[in-house]
Structure formats: structure tokens, C-alpha cells
Amino acid sequence: MKATPRSARRNRQDKESGATAIEFVLWTPLLFLFMFGSVQFGLAMFARHVAQTAAQEGARTAREQAAANPKTWQVPAEKDAKTWVNQLIGGLVSDGSLQATPIPVTRGAYPEVGMEVSFSIVSVVPDWQFHLDAASQGPVECYYTQAGACVGPNG
């Protein structure tokens, strides 16, 4: 019996039966990984930016407070850095991982002070951990005498 075009088409379809389902099963996990990986990358870049700006905000407060309150400048600087992170991405920070650490005053002709911020963010992809660190440092804002001593705004 000679094969007709219709029966040849049917034989070809029988050979490829189920190929689409198998391709779907193979490609779907990769597509999901790519999709969630893109979201995680975006979260990580945003959190990196927040960490840097929180460190800068804490350092700004530290620079203002270090000359006027040499013993207690760390508390408001830490508070400002943590507040900055919590206001912007508070729900994305892993529990208990947020730390704001003052960078002590460096001695010298122009003393510097700063803030270091570190935290981990939650992950949308299992077993991916993102820990972010940022630091900012700058000169203490004060008036300098002719002898080079740093004098606070009050005296």
C-alpha cells in the first residue's frame, strides 16, 4: 500500500507526539530561575544603594556630632544609619542582621570619623544569601585653631 500525504503526515505527528510537553518540563525551571534571579539581582542592587546611603547619612551625623559631643556622637550616628535602612527597605532586611558600627575618630591634623553599615537581605531564590557592607568616612566638622586643634562650634 502506497503512503498517502495524509498518512505520512499522521506518522510524523505520532513520532513528535509529546515533544512539546517534554520541552515545557525542561525549560520551565530555567525560565523561573532566570525570572527570580532577575528579581533578586534588582533587590540586591537596590539594597547596595541603601547600604551606601545609610552609611553616608550616619557618617554625616557623626561628622556633625563628633566635635560638639566627643563622648556621645556614636549613638545618634548609629540611630540615623539604622533609621535610614529601616525606612527604605525594613521588610527586606533579614532578622537581626542590621548593624551600624561607628568608625572611631582618627587622630591627626584633620580628624576623621565615619560609619559602617552591614546587613543581609531576604532571598527570593533558595540558598542565595546576599550580605551587604558599606562604609563612609569624612572629616570632623569643626573650627581649627592656628595651632591645628579641632574646636567644636561651642568653644
Side-chain angles (χ1 to χ4, degrees), residues 52-74:
Q52 186 62 44
T53 54
Q56 290 171 350
E57 186 67 26
R60 186 177 299 115
T61 302
R63 291 172 52 208
E64 293 170 357
Q65 299 282 327
N69 305 316
K71 303 236 188 267
T72 60
W73 63 267
Q74 293 94 341

Side-chain angles (χ1 to χ4, degrees), residues 34-154:
F34 178 72
M35 190 170 53
F36 287 128
S38 299
V39 170
Q40 186 67 51
F41 180 74
L43 286 174
M45 291 297 105
F46 177 64
R48 181 176 159 259
H49 176 70
V50 169
Q52 186 62 44
T53 54
Q56 290 171 350
E57 186 67 26
R60 186 177 299 115
T61 302
R63 291 172 52 208
E64 293 170 357
Q65 299 282 327
N69 305 316
K71 303 236 188 267
T72 60
W73 63 267
Q74 293 94 341
V75 175
E78 285 178 39
K79 182 178 177 264
D80 281 354
K82 286 182 176 181
T83 301
W84 191 265
V85 172
N86 286 327
Q87 285 179 350
L88 290 176
I89 60 168
L92 297 177
V93 175
S94 296
D95 294 334
S97 68
L98 176 59
Q99 295 180 346
T101 308
I103 298 172
V105 177
T106 58
R107 301 292 175 205
Y110 301 104
E112 288 192 353
V113 68
M115 181 64 57
E116 183 177 341
V117 175
S118 65
F119 58 89
S120 296
I121 60 170
V122 296
S123 177
V124 295
V125 179
D127 295 329
W128 283 12
Q129 296 296 321
F130 287 95
H131 186 77
L132 300 145
D133 296 313
S136 182
Q137 188 170 332
V140 174
E141 294 180 6
C142 61
Y143 301 106
Y144 292 96
T145 64
Q146 288 195 354
C150 180
V151 179
N154 298 333

